[in-house]
Amino acid sequence: MSRNAHDAYDAHDSHEGVGGGARRSLAVIGAGPAGLAAALAAAVRGSRVTLIDAGAQAGGQFYRQPAEELGARRPQALHHQWRTWERLRDGLAAQIATGRVTHLTDHHVWCVERLDLDEATGFLVHALHGPAQEEPSVVRADAVVLATGAYEKVLPFPGWTLPGVITAGGAQAMLKGALVLQGRTAVVAGTGPLLLPVAAGLASAGAEVAALVESAGAQHVARHARTLSAHPDKLVEGAGYVAELMRRRVPLKARHAIVEAQGDGALEAVTVAALDRDGRVTPGSEQVIRCDTLAVGHGLLPHTDLAETLGCRLEGPAVAVDDEQRTDVHGVWAAGEATGVGGAALSLAEGHIAGCSAAARLVGREPDPRAWNAAAKSRARSRDFITSLDAVFAPRAHWAEQVTDATVVCRCEEVPASAIREAVGELGATDARTAKLLTRAGMGWCQGRMCGPAVAGLTGCEPVPSRRPFARPVPLGVVARAGEDLPDE
C-alpha cells in the first residue's frame, strides 16, 4: 500500500488546492503516535494526507513491530497499549484504502522547503528512499505536520564506548523490532521512566537483569507525590513493571549511578556507586557487577532539525506551538515529542489536535475546538504529569565529575574530555559552539546529536540550536538534482 513519492506527487497534483477548490494536501512527517493521530484526524475531515516515515512500517519507536519475516506469534507481549495500536493500525489501513492517505515507508526526510505560491504557502518535502538511502523523492503539500519524535540523551562515562554498552532505547528497539537480546546478563542504568519497561522487557525475554540502577531516589518522588498521585493509571503501569522485576528478583538500586564500564575488548562488568544528596558519588560505596550488556539512558531530547530548518521558534529544546499545535511558521504544525518529550498519550492528543486544526485551516475555516475537546483535556493532564516526571528524573548533578580526561566524548571525531576541558580552561572557550570549533566535537557523522549534551555539560554551557541546513547526511548529487526531480508545472 506504500508508494514512491514521485507517484504520490501525481496524485497530489502540484498547485491544485492552493487557493483552489480541490481538497488541500497535508504532509505528515513521522508515523509514530503523534503522526498517526494527525494523519487520521485530518483524513477523516477531508484532507489528502501523505504520511512520510523512515520506518518499514508505521508505529514509530513506541509501537515498533517485529518484521513479518520473523514470525512473531505474540508481538503484543512487548507492548502495554496494544489495543490503541490496533485502532491506529486499522484506521490507517482504512484511510489508505479510501485513497485519503498515502503512506510512504522507508523515506528519510532531509529537508522541508517552503514555497510562496500566490500569497499562499506550499512545501516540498525532500526525502531519501531505498536501501542505500540515495534515491531522491519529493512530495509537495499545502501544509506540514512535524511529528519527528525524539532521540536519546547520552552522557559519557569511562568505558561507555565498549561493545556491549548500548542505550536503553536501543535495547528496547532491538527487542521489539528484531526480537533480539544484546547479551545474556544485563544491567539497566541511568534515570527516567523508560528504564522500568526496558528492564522488565529484557527480563521477560529471558535475559538475566543483574540490576536496575536509578540515580533518582525516593525523596525525589515524594516531592511530587501530589501531582503523580493524580494519575493512577500511570502509577499502576509503573507498579506493574516494579512487580515484574521483584518477581524475577531483579535488584533495584535507587540513588545509584554507573561509575565505570570495564572489559577487555567488550563489556565484562560495571562499577556502580551510591549517590549523596547532591548527586555526587559516595566514596567507598562502589560495587562491581558482572554483565555483558549495559543498557543506559538519561532521558530523551526532541528531534527539531526540520523545524529549525524551517525557522520555527524553539522554547528550550522543543518546538514552540500554540493551543492548535501551530508553530510560528505559517502552514507548519508540530506534535508529539518534537514539542516536548511526554510519552505516547501526550503525543496522541497533540497529533489529533494538529490534524483537526490543519484540516480546517487548509480549507480556510476556523477550527472548532470542540473537535478536540477530549484530546485537549488529555494533553493538559499529560503535560502536568510529565512536568513532575522531568523534575523527578532529571539527570544527576555533577555527572561530569566522573568523566575522566581519557574518556571519549565525541565518538565520531574521537575527541576526549581532556580536549574539551582544555578548550575551556586554556583556550578561552566560553560556549559549546566555540568548544566545537576548537576540538571538532560535534562535527562528525551524527552532527552533535550524541555528544551535544555532554559537550555542553563539560563546558558548563546551555546547548544551543544547531540550525543545520539538512536534517540528515545527504549525497551531494541529490542536493544538486533537488530542483530537477520536480515535474514541469
Side-chain angles (χ1 to χ4, degrees):
M1 290 191 290
S2 300
R3 300 160 54 191
N4 184 277
H6 292 299
D7 299 329
Y9 180 90
D10 293 336
H12 287 193
D13 197 16
S14 74
H15 287 191
E16 188 179 56
V18 179
R23 284 191 299 165
R24 308 292 293 278
S25 59
L26 177 68
V28 178
I29 302 174
L36 287 170
L40 294 177
V44 299
R45 287 163 176 80
S47 296
R48 294 179 300 173
V49 179
T50 303
L51 180 62
I52 310 168
D53 189 59
Q57 50 188 327
Q61 299 299 323
F62 188 80
Y63 294 118
R64 180 186 287 269
Q65 305 295 309
E68 293 183 3
E69 294 81 2
L70 295 176
R73 289 176 292 180
R74 295 183 64 250
Q76 63 269 31
L78 300 173
H79 297 266
H80 68 277
Q81 292 185 7
W82 186 256
R83 290 185 179 179
T84 300
W85 159 245
E86 288 181 321
R87 288 195 294 269
L88 292 169
R89 179 196 63 196
D90 296 344
L92 177 63
Q95 293 302 323
I96 291 174
T98 65
R100 296 192 186 100
V101 173
T102 299
H103 181 202
L104 305 181
T105 60
D106 196 24
H107 278 66
H108 305 259
V109 177
W110 57 272
C111 181
V112 179
E113 179 183 359
R114 293 182 67 191
L115 300 174
D116 293 323
L117 307 171
D118 301 328
E119 300 182 354
T121 301
F123 299 88
L124 294 180
V125 180
H126 298 272
L128 299 175
H129 176 247
Q133 297 182 28
E134 292 187 357
E135 180 184 340
S137 295
V138 183
V139 172
R140 180 167 290 176
D142 300 310
V144 174
V145 174
L146 301 176
T148 46
Y151 61 100
E152 287 195 83
K153 175 187 283 188
V154 177
L155 299 179
F157 51 88
W160 76 291
T161 58
L162 280 170
V165 181
I166 57 178
T167 64
Q172 189 178 59
M174 291 172 64
L175 185 57
K176 285 185 175 182
L179 307 180
V180 168
L181 291 172
Q182 169 77 13
R184 299 180 63 85
T185 304
V187 170
V188 179
T191 190
L194 178 62
L195 300 187
L196 283 173
V198 169
L202 293 176
S204 298
E208 177 189 352
V209 180
L212 171 57
V213 183
E214 168 61 66
S215 63
Q219 76 278 14
H220 298 96
V221 178
R223 291 182 193 134
H224 300 272
R226 177 176 297 181
T227 300
L228 297 177
S229 63
H231 300 267
D233 56 329
K234 297 293 185 181
L235 297 181
V236 169
E237 179 185 330
Y241 292 130
V242 172
E244 175 68 11
L245 294 174
M246 293 179 66
R247 187 177 70 84
R248 295 180 180 276
R249 299 185 179 182
V250 175
L252 305 178
K253 294 184 175 295
R255 216 164 78 184
H256 279 66
I258 296 292
V259 174
E260 184 181 10
Q262 301 112 5
D264 183 11
L267 180 68
E268 298 173 2
V270 298
T271 300
V272 303
L275 303 174
D276 62 20
R277 290 185 176 276
D278 295 325
R280 288 188 167 93
V281 168
T282 302
S285 66
E286 293 84 359
Q287 175 188 1
V288 176
I289 302 176
R290 306 290 298 182
C291 61
D292 58 15
T293 299
L294 171 61
V296 60
H298 296 96
L300 302 172
L301 292 170
H303 254 309
T304 60
D305 292 352
L306 295 176
E308 291 172 32
T309 301
L310 285 165
C312 300
R313 182 173 64 88
L314 302 185
E315 287 183 352
V319 182
V321 293
D322 64 10
D323 288 343
E324 296 181 29
Q325 299 297 137
R326 293 181 297 176
T327 72
D328 61 341
V329 175
H330 180 71
V332 179
W333 283 254
E337 311 285 47
T339 68
V341 175
L346 179 56
S347 294
L348 289 168
E350 291 187 349
H352 180 79
I353 293 169
C356 291
S357 172
R361 293 195 177 277
L362 275 171
V363 294
R365 294 199 311 264
E366 283 288 327
D368 184 355
R370 290 176 298 182
W372 62 73
N373 185 52
K377 291 180 179 178
S378 175
R379 177 178 63 182
R381 291 183 71 252
S382 296
R383 283 180 176 171
D384 185 44
F385 181 74
I386 292 302
T387 299
S388 293
L389 279 189
D390 288 343
V392 170
F393 295 111
R396 69 182 180 92
H398 311 294
W399 61 265
E401 294 177 3
Q402 269 64 59
V403 179
T404 63
D405 284 345
T407 302
V408 172
V409 175
C410 174
R411 300 178 72 163
C412 298
E413 295 294 321
E414 299 183 350
V415 180
S418 59
I420 298 171
R421 288 170 173 150
E422 180 184 7
V424 175
E426 300 181 24
L427 302 180
T430 57
D431 56 71
R433 175 177 172 79
T434 303
K436 171 181 176 180
L437 294 174
L438 292 172
T439 66
R440 294 191 60 80
M443 291 188 181
W445 183 260
C446 81
Q447 288 293 285
R449 291 173 180 84
M450 290 286 287
C451 67
V455 172
L458 289 171
T459 59
C461 305
E462 289 293 326
V464 295
S466 59
R467 297 301 295 269
R468 305 179 184 93
F470 305 138
R472 62 183 302 111
V474 56
L476 184 60
V478 171
V479 179
R481 298 195 307 270
E484 302 172 5
D485 291 321
L486 295 177
D488 294 332
E489 301 294 354

